[in-house]
């Protein structure tokens, strides 16, 4: 599904959060959003998701500009947002439709994929931070959404779990050709996953730079190519920082 | 009255019973009404009235056909336009009097001046109090009337929170017996009788059956006259009160005049005037007309010889 | 809980802890019951003592022993069970209807702004009308059968359930609602799958409050031509100046009310197992 | 809100939006009032119509016009204001005392397990005792002065506030309590700085419920030797079989009850500005 | 303040979360805890803090083994845990004692330090994820605690804000000689900050390895020395992973 933002701005009670964001995402593209904390990345994702309809400008999803939630969109929020009265299994099943047995089977697969096999019956309050985040990831991926909005999905995970789940994400993406918008602070992650990286700048956030990564997937983590991109991105961010401090 | 005719017969007759109407208790206990009407396939339904105002609400809302009330209550309701008629007097009770504690020093109505007297506004004891004061030429404003429910008035008296109380049986009998209360002013004529009222609609439709209900009531009344001891026991058991209390209560009931007539008319008119002064009945209501509308002795006259 | 790969020692430890925990729980429960009895028992002792000393004369406030013997008398004749059972039946039925009505209307009002603007003001206005005030109106509308009594109790139950539910719904964390929105739940699904569970704690308070009010409304209900029931008993006691009957009915109200509340409390604890509550000191 | 570095355009836009928002808010408010009036107005019209048609005879249910003229009559003699003001005074005082007692006991029970085990059972038992049942006891203990009336109302207010507060406290997120613990707050500070704010939504429901019950308990309170007040008016109406008076008192109860609730609702909205509630559709 | 754990184990309803943790932290030392998600890092911190008293074994803080909270301990939880009814400023003031004006001044300094100047009056619901985390950091540091327990404090921050706050942490540490236990998934962070890194392994978690870093502070990010440590740590974690997967 294609996704286009045109001059999107969002103001909260008089204070501007993002300004004039224009961005066009091709079907099946993975776009990364990078930027300092508070520059409006989550705000943009919320606008795309349709949960927030207070923005100005236009967001077009497959030709539709209505401010509404599309049920083909999956959203991993910045917090896990598990339903505390449901077990891990039921939380993952939550968004699924269809036969009960099918749903269970599918959910269990994804629970295993995120490394939580055997934890199906735990309640959210019994989970560690990273486990809760993984349940949220499973919940979003299990519905195989056509548009995936990810808000720092792997931030609370250790290096290896993170890599594993990044690969899981790529698997899902490959199978369902999802369009992905990924917010992350991990530049390695961005270079490993994204076709394009959009760097936001300032407060209110505006688009500063777009970097297109042409390297073929599967990419090699820590490859020289990616390292070059990383250095480039770091510099952009750093510049922004320097500017915003003065 | 049977000449007016009406439809054949009701499916059921709804009677109320009340602990202030011993006759109704006897009637219900022995099932005489059921006996009489069963043959015709008419059901009898009994409803408990916990006070005149409930009985009148039941009558007004067509929940009962016959309801037992104090005479004054029936009049007040009539003045508000209730379609009811009084067709029978189940007793002339001396159920209210003025009560005080035995060491209070109150002996006459004069002594009440400046004192606190408990009464339930709008009910028989209240009317009794006003009439008594009026009879002595004391203005009602000279005593402090505290509005309390009957039972609460009794407790307030025994715990010395008021100096006197316009009492009502059986509370009064119990206070007399157990707490040493003294009835320092009694006047049976200032009581307003126990009225058995019928809904006008019922009386119009089934006049014959009004007579027949009066007939069974008569049977109960006579039984009480013949068996005062048993009647007291029955009252005690039904109402859950002490036999001694029940005896006193029954002694203060005169069951001799069942037919509504001029005595009753006059007593009620007097009460009506007092109530009018107290703003309970509308100032421009014509009391005499109302009373004439309310009291209809013809059924009883026809039935009782 | 977690069915993890159980080594033998692990299983053993689990079994062991379970047993220990069960014992501990039992001991805990008796302690709770004992602690809870302290005040009532003290109260009864004090009261009996003062009665015997003649501080409260019997025609005002009979001694607890006298009250209990009155209750036992009623129990002996079987009248007690009839009073209790008819009242419990009425409260139960009224509670059911009142709760259902409150859930329906509460969900509507909690969920739709328009519905709130239309219905809430009048409901809030009705909420302050005393039970006694309804009596004549109910007699008028519904007569004096069981239905009017049950409806009266339902009215009492309705308001707290409604109020708590609506406020519970309004207090549901936006974050969770958004999860539902992302899955395009229909409003009804939203209510059933997110809003009701999330506002369950609030709902239970409402239900418990409502049941309490149901018991209170019994008196008004049984003014409407009842000849049995605890409310009837109370009014009878007041009309015949029988303090034993009054106090007996009060004790019965307290006891049965507490028992039914206890049932709800158990249900509450069961349904809210998932809450991350704070453990008290 | 945010005092950020305001460029001129930014300031302009903010001013502009503020004005627009204020206008919008005003328009919104009138709409809300209008929507809320629909049902009551319809009710009155229907009722008047049915009364004029004779469906409800006046001795059963007088027409609203008759009731309003009765109220106006009372207003003309000044009696109305006396009835209202004395009752409002009683409810207010009872509400105050009841709420204070509930906050004290509720905090204790909510915070200390022991206190819960000791006090909660008996409080829950008392909760089901109908207001009318208390009347003789209160007269006995406290006489028939204002104090007994106010206490009676306080009793009514106490229970819902207590129940909601305790449940609110028990429902406070463990995570926030732990924050307080890390700073070694004393129990009192815990209550004041974390538990009370966190259970404020619950508390407000309790307070609103309690005020409603306060209004209900007025009748029982004014059975105790009152010669003025709305409850007195109601009972007088019942004793003197005057449907106008009964209905007038009902309408006054509804109207004044709703007004006081509305005040609380405003206070609630003000105090809970920080809540991340879900916006309704 | 010295801190010693002796054979600490924690079991939740029959399931063991950590087992036999023994660790001794010198006054003024910064110890890092690393391990896969769900291996019990937060559980250990909670036990040290005194919030959790359900553990077995012994924890000694300055010679005191009582299971209680010490008011000289500061805890940054894995979630921000801001009090929603307080503004940013009041949240930071929350733990401070003393004169109101002093508290305000101090709090404002730290708010500026975490880059939230001008945001003092916002409520938590108006903050972005990273901003909330920074408020939580300010709240914990402002009381200058003698023991600092940090549970992934910088996980939601962009690379540069993260570096800045790491330096802030070091400043505080230098000034007050706090004893710090830091849970993190960021190995660069661990090597940059810690005197010693403890690697947990398995589920239930046990101590696998301790690595002592002797390099002088201020360290240079991305120095060769640190890179060596990083490689070493990665290997350990990887091994653990490999073992736990089979
Ligand atoms: N309250 C609880 N009840 C039951 N189990 C719990 C509870 N808290 C934690 N656990 C379990 O203990 C284990 C360790 O949890 P902990 O939060 O310490 O992990 P962690 O190392 O902090 O992980 P992460 O990096 O994901 O935050 C997990 O398996 C978790 O399921
Ligand atoms: N509901 C709200 N009300 C007021 N201001 C808000 C609200 N939500 C976000 N903001 C403001 O909008 C700005 C951007 O927030 P946003 O959550 O989009 O940041 P972010 O880029 O996701 O940051 P982070 O990386 O820290 O998550 C922030 O300054 C924040 O204070
Ligand atoms: Mg964000
Ligand atoms: Mg953790």
């Amino acid at each position: 599904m294609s996704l286009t933002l045109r001059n999107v701005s969002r103001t909260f009670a008089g204070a501007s959060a993002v300004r004039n964001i224009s961005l066009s995402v091709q079907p099946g593209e993975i776009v990364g959003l990078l930027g300092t904390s508070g520059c409006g990345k989550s705000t943009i994702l919320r606008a795309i998701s349709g949960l927030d309809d207070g923005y100005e400008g236009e967001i077009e999803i497959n030709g539709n500009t209505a401010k509404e939630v599309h049920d083909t969109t999956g959203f991993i929020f910045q917090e896990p947002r598990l339903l505390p009265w449901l077990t891990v299994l039921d939380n993952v099943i939550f968004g699924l439709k269809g036969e009960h047995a099918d749903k269970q089977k599918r959910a269990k697969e994804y629970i295993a994929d995120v490394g939580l096999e055997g934890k199906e019956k735990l309640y959210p309050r019994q989970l560690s931070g990273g486990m809760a985040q993984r349940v949220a990831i499973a919940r979003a991926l299990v519905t195989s959404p056509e548009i995936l909005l990810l808000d720092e999905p792997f931030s609370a995970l250790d290096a290896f779990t993170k890599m594993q789940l990044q690969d899981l994400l790529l698997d899902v993406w490959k199978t369902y050709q999802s369009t992905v918008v990924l917010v992350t602070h991990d530049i390695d992650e961005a270079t490993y996953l994204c076709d394009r990286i959009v760097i936001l700048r300032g407060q209110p956030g505006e688009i500063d730079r777009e970097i297109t990564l042409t390297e073929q997937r599967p990419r090699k983590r820590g490859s020289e190519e990616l390292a070059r991109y990383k250095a480039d991105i770091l510099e952009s961010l750093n510049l922004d920082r320097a500017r915003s401090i003065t | 009255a049977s000449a007016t005719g009406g439809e054949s017969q009701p499916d059921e007759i709804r009677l109320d019973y009340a602990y202030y109407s011993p006759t109704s208790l006897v009637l219900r206990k022995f099932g005489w009404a059921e006996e009489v009407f069963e043959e015709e396939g008419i059901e009898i339904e009994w409803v408990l009235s916990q006070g005149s105002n409930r009985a009148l609400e039941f009558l007004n809302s067509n929940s009962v056909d016959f309801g037992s009330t104090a005479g004054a209550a029936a009049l007040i309701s009539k003045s508000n336009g209730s379609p009811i008629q009084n067709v029978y007097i189940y007793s002339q009770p001396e159920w209210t009097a003025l009560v005080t504690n035995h060491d209070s020093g109150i002996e006459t109505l004069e002594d009440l001046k400046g004192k606190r007297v408990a009464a339930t506004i709008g009910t028989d004891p209240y009317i009794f109090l006003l009439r008594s004061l009026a009879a002595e030429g004391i203005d009602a404003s000279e005593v402090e009337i505290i509005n309390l429910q009957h039972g609460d008035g009794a407790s307030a008296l025994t715990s010395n929170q008021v100096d006197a109380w316009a009492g009502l049986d059986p509370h009064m009998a119990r206070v007399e017996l157990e707490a040493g209360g003294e009835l320092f002013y009694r006047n049976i004529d200032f009581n307003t009788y126990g009225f058995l009222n019928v809904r006008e609609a019922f009386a119009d439709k089934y006049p014959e059956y009004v007579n027949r209900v009066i007939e069974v009531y008569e049977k109960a009344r006579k039984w009480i006259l013949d068996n005062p001891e048993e009647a007291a026991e029955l009252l005690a058991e039904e109402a859950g009160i002490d036999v001694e209390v029940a005896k006193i209560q029954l002694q203060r009931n005169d069951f001799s005049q069942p037919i509504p007539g001029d005595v009753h008319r006059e007593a009620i008119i007097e009460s009506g005037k007092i109530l009018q002064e107290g703003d309970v009945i509308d100032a421009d209501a014509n009391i005499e007309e109302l009373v004439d509308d309310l009291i209809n002795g013809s059924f009883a006259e026809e039935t009782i010889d | 809980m977690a069915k993890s790969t159980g080594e033998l020692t692990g299983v053993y430890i689990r079994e062991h802890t379970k047993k220990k925990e069960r014992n501990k729980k039992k001991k805990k429960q008796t302690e709770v019951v004992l602690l809870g009895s302290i005040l009532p028992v003290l109260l009864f002792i004090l009261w009996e003592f003062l009665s015997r000393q003649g501080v409260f004369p019997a025609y005002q406030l009979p001694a607890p022993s006298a009250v209990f013997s009155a209750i036992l008398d009623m129990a002996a004749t079987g009248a007690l069970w009839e009073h209790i059972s008819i009242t419990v039946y009425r409260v139960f039925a009224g509670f059911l209807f009142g709760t259902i009505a409150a859930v329906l209307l509460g969900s509507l009002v909690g969920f739709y702004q328009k519905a709130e603007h239309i219905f809430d003001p009048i409901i809030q206005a009705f909420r302050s009308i005393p039970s006694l005030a309804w009596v004549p109106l109910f007699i008028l509308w519904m007569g004096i059968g069981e239905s009017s009594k049950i409806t009266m109790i339902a009215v009492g139950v309705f308001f707290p359930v409604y109020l708590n539910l609506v406020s519970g719904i309004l207090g549901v964390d936006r974050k969770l609602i958004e999860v539902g929105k992302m899955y395009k739940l229909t409003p009804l699904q939203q209510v059933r799958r997110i809003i009701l569970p999330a506002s369950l704690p609030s709902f239970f308070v409402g239900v418990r409050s409502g049941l309490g009010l149901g018991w209170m409304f019994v008196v008004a209900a049984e003014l409407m031509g009842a000849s049995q029931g605890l409310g009837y008993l109370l009014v009878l006691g007041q009309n015949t100046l029988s303090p034993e009957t009054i106090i007996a009915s009060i004790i019965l109200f307290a006891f049965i009310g507490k028992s039914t509340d206890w049932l709800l409390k158990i249900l509450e604890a069961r349904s809210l197992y998932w809450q991350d509550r704070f453990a008290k000191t």
Side-chain angles (χ1 to χ4, degrees), chain A, chain B, chain C:
Chain A
M1 297 243 264
S2 74
L3 166 68
T4 312
L5 281 72
R6 280 188 216 100
N7 278 317
V8 171
S9 303
R10 178 64 164 105
T11 308
F12 291 105
S16 191
V18 289
R19 194 149 63 191
N20 280 337
I21 304 293
S22 295
L23 178 69
S24 146
V25 185
Q26 299 309 312
E29 199 181 10
I30 302 183
V31 171
L33 281 183
L34 256 73
T36 48
S37 167
C39 72
K41 304 177 294 298
S42 301
T43 304
I44 295 173
L45 282 201
R46 287 174 54 78
I48 298 176
S49 74
L51 285 178
D52 179 24
D53 57 4
Y55 59 89
E56 283 149 62
E58 211 175 58
I59 294 179
E60 189 181 307
I61 293 177
N62 257 4
N64 182 351
T65 59
K67 290 184 173 180
E68 57 173 24
V69 176
H70 298 258
D71 57 356
T72 51
T73 308
F75 198 155
I76 300 184
F77 297 94
Q78 201 164 355
E79 325 84 32
R81 298 202 186 181
L82 304 182
L83 303 176
W85 53 88
L86 296 182
T87 59
V88 166
L89 181 62
D90 289 334
N91 260 295
V92 176
I93 286 181
F94 188 82
L96 283 176
K97 288 178 179 81
E99 273 283 312
H100 187 68
D102 287 355
K103 292 197 291 185
Q104 275 220 335
K105 190 164 153 278
R106 213 174 140 72
K108 279 191 174 155
E109 271 168 32
Y110 274 84
I111 290 174
D113 284 343
V114 297
L116 288 175
E117 210 163 7
K119 311 280 183 189
E120 288 90 351
K121 293 198 173 161
L122 294 185
Y123 283 94
R125 69 181 157 85
Q126 300 173 308
L127 301 177
S128 79
M131 287 159 78
Q133 201 176 32
R134 284 182 277 157
V135 177
I137 293 169
R139 178 177 66 183
L141 295 185
V142 76
T143 56
S144 43
E146 298 176 29
I147 294 184
L148 246 177
L149 306 173
L150 310 179
D151 201 346
E152 306 181 26
F154 311 122
S155 63
L157 300 176
D158 60 287
F160 286 93
T161 313
K162 198 180 243 179
M163 292 180 197
Q164 199 185 14
L165 292 188
Q166 284 163 356
D167 291 330
L168 174 65
L169 176 64
L170 286 180
D171 280 352
V172 171
W173 166 79
K174 235 196 335 238
T175 316
Y176 300 101
Q177 283 300 314
S178 313
T179 307
V180 179
V181 181
L182 167 77
V183 170
T184 181
H185 289 311
D186 183 337
I187 301 169
D188 292 322
E189 180 172 293
T191 54
Y192 181 66
L193 292 175
C194 300
D195 296 311
R196 188 148 45 110
I197 294 175
V198 175
I199 296 176
L200 294 173
R201 185 174 75 106
Q203 229 172 349
E206 287 172 288
I207 293 185
D208 180 43
R209 253 190 91 182
E210 292 195 12
I211 298 171
T212 310
L213 291 87
T214 47
E215 208 186 333
Q216 281 298 310
R217 267 182 278 253
R219 296 177 184 165
K220 208 170 149 283
R221 288 178 207 275
S223 74
E224 252 173 62
E225 175 96 31
L226 294 191
R228 255 201 312 283
Y229 283 122
K230 181 174 176 179
D232 190 10
I233 293 168
L234 268 173
E235 199 177 356
S236 300
L237 287 170
N238 207 358
L239 269 180
D240 170 34
R241 180 135 214 99
R243 248 176 301 186
S244 79
I245 281 173
T246 48
Chain B
S2 57
T4 25
E7 276 175 43
S8 48
Q9 67 170 56
D11 291 335
E12 60 168 3
I13 299 178
R14 296 163 302 174
L15 302 171
D16 83 335
Y17 66 106
Y19 303 128
Y20 49 82
S21 167
T23 326
S24 69
L25 294 180
V26 169
L27 184 56
R28 174 167 176 268
K29 179 79 186 171
F30 292 115
W32 290 326
E34 286 85 343
E35 229 168 70
V36 169
F37 293 109
E38 200 172 46
E39 299 157 11
E40 299 169 44
I42 300 172
E43 299 230 351
I44 297 295
E45 192 190 320
W46 286 100
V47 176
L48 174 68
S49 294
Q50 300 240 40
S52 294
N53 51 355
R54 293 282 165 260
L56 286 160
E57 274 167 12
F58 296 163
L59 280 167
N60 285 340
S61 63
N62 190 9
S63 298
V64 296
D65 299 314
F66 290 85
S68 318
T69 73
L75 176 65
I76 300 172
S77 191
K78 190 78 184 172
S79 78
N80 285 323
S82 299
I84 53 169
Q85 274 183 9
N86 162 241
V87 291
Y88 184 75
I89 307 291
Y90 58 76
S91 74
Q92 181 190 10
E94 188 194 357
W95 53 25
T96 171
L98 298 183
V99 191
T100 186
N101 289 319
H102 74 98
D103 52 0
S104 67
I106 296 175
E107 277 159 15
T108 63
L109 287 167
E110 266 312 297
D111 297 336
L112 282 183
K113 282 185 183 168
K115 292 280 165 56
R116 290 151 69 92
V117 185
T120 316
I121 296 185
T123 61
D124 247 29
Y126 174 72
I127 298 166
F128 182 88
L129 174 65
L130 293 187
R131 280 183 76 178
S132 311
L133 291 174
E136 286 291 308
I138 303 169
D139 198 87
S141 60
E142 287 180 73
V143 299
E144 189 185 342
I145 297 179
I146 309 278
N147 183 33
L148 283 171
Q149 299 300 295
H150 304 304
D152 301 333
S155 331
L157 178 70
T158 54
S159 52
N160 281 317
Q161 290 166 14
V162 292
D163 304 297
W165 167 52
L168 183 74
D169 272 336
H171 306 77
M172 196 162 70
R174 183 154 186 182
V175 167
E176 216 182 339
L177 266 180
E178 294 181 12
E182 260 170 36
L183 278 54
F184 70 94
Y185 182 81
R186 299 173 62 160
N187 188 339
I188 190 166
D189 292 334
F190 288 175
N191 288 274
T192 63
Y193 297 91
F195 276 27
L196 182 69
N197 308 294
V198 64
R199 289 190 306 114
E200 267 172 6
F202 184 90
D204 287 347
K205 225 171 169 186
Y206 313 112
E208 190 52 37
Y209 287 88
V210 177
N211 288 336
R212 310 224 356 227
V213 169
I214 292 176
E215 253 169 44
V216 287
Y217 253 96
E218 269 298 285
K219 192 169 172 186
R221 182 178 72 90
K222 286 187 180 132
W223 184 87
I224 294 179
L225 286 174
D226 295 341
N227 308 283
E229 290 288 322
E230 286 92 329
E233 270 162 32
L234 197 150
L235 174 61
E237 188 197 318
E238 287 288 304
I241 55 178
D242 208 58
V243 185
E244 295 307 311
V245 173
K247 273 185 189 153
I248 296 183
Q249 191 188 339
L250 267 186
Q251 274 162 23
R252 296 200 194 120
N253 270 278
D254 177 0
F255 294 95
S256 64
Q257 269 187 320
I259 304 174
D262 290 337
V263 210
H264 310 104
R265 200 164 273 129
E266 272 154 33
I268 298 295
I269 289 175
E270 282 309 309
S271 314
K273 285 181 180 156
I274 291 285
L275 287 167
Q276 221 166 7
E277 280 165 29
D279 272 343
V280 172
I281 291 182
D282 215 26
D284 22 87
N286 185 334
I287 299 292
E288 270 143 59
E289 256 175 38
L290 279 175
V291 173
D292 285 341
D293 275 354
L294 174 65
I295 296 182
N296 178 357
S298 61
F299 290 101
E301 279 160 18
E302 219 170 90
T303 316
I304 304 165
D305 25 45
Chain C
M1 281 222 167
K3 280 190 193 156
S4 61
T5 52
E7 305 163 53
L8 252 170
T9 54
V11 173
Y12 170 72
I13 290 174
R14 268 210 296 286
E15 283 303 305
H16 189 70
T17 7
K18 259 191 196 160
K19 212 170 187 179
K20 239 172 60 188
E21 271 177 11
R22 220 179 300 132
N23 275 341
K24 232 177 166 178
K25 218 171 148 190
K26 234 184 202 163
K27 221 176 121 192
K28 181 97 215 238
Q29 271 173 353
T30 41
E31 198 195 301
V32 167
V33 171
L34 281 182
L35 278 177
S37 321
I38 294 177
L39 279 188
V41 168
L42 274 184
L43 197 75
F44 278 125
I45 291 176
L46 185 76
W47 171 12
E48 180 78 38
F49 174 77
L50 289 179
S51 293
R52 299 222 171 165
Q53 294 293 306
V55 179
F56 304 138
Y59 56 85
Q60 283 183 347
L61 186 63
S65 50
V67 174
F68 282 118
S69 82
I71 295 181
L72 288 181
D73 284 353
M74 277 194 284
T77 65
L80 181 65
W81 313 123
E82 288 175 16
H83 288 308
I84 292 181
S85 57
I86 187 77
T87 296
V88 168
Y89 159 71
R90 283 172 187 147
V91 170
F92 180 76
F95 175 68
L96 213 68
F97 290 123
T99 306
I100 291 174
V103 168
L104 293 181
L105 222 65
S107 307
L108 197 74
V109 165
F111 208 66
Y112 293 105
Q113 184 103 51
K114 273 265 154 54
E116 176 177 0
H117 292 332
I118 294 175
F119 292 109
D120 196 58
I122 197 166
I123 292 178
Q124 300 299 349
F126 279 174
R127 195 157 63 81
S128 326
I129 298 176
S131 58
L132 278 185
W134 290 113
V135 172
L137 294 177
F138 269 72
I139 292 177
L140 195 61
W141 294 329
M142 318 191 56
I144 51 178
E146 278 312 295
S147 61
S148 63
K149 299 186 186 73
I150 289 174
T151 313
M152 171 71 86
I153 293 170
V155 166
V157 173
F158 175 85
F159 293 111
V161 180
Y162 169 86
L163 193 66
N164 275 279
L165 184 65
V166 169
S167 144
I169 291 178
L170 290 180
V172 173
D173 192 346
R174 181 185 50 77
K175 295 197 169 74
L176 296 184
I177 304 267
E178 287 184 353
V179 172
K181 281 199 183 149
M182 276 321 295
Y183 290 105
K184 279 244 156 190
L185 299 190
T186 62
L188 210 76
Q189 285 174 321
Q190 277 271 25
V191 170
R192 201 171 55 75
R193 299 184 57 190
I194 298 194
I195 295 186
L196 283 190
S199 52
L200 210 57
S202 218
F203 176 68
F204 265 108
V205 189
V207 166
R208 288 177 60 198
S209 246
L211 186 62
L213 232 68
W215 284 106
M216 291 198 178
F217 269 59
V218 160
V219 177
E222 293 185 348
L223 276 180
M224 300 189 287
S227 53
Q228 270 176 339
L230 297 180
Y232 158 82
L233 215 58
L234 176 72
V235 177
L236 178 72
Q238 298 192 337
N239 282 345
T240 57
L241 197 66
S242 158
E244 288 94 358
T245 315
I246 298 180
I247 307 284
S249 78
I250 291 183
I251 289 181
L252 290 172
F253 266 116
F255 181 74
I256 303 177
K258 166 72 194 159
S259 312
T260 50
D261 182 64
W262 175 73
L263 290 178
L264 281 183
K265 220 171 165 176
I266 291 178
L267 194 68
E268 183 182 18
R270 292 242 169 116
S271 318
L272 299 182
Y273 54 86
W274 51 266
Q275 263 199 334
D276 200 359
R277 293 176 154 205
F278 103 93
K280 291 199 287 185
T281 42

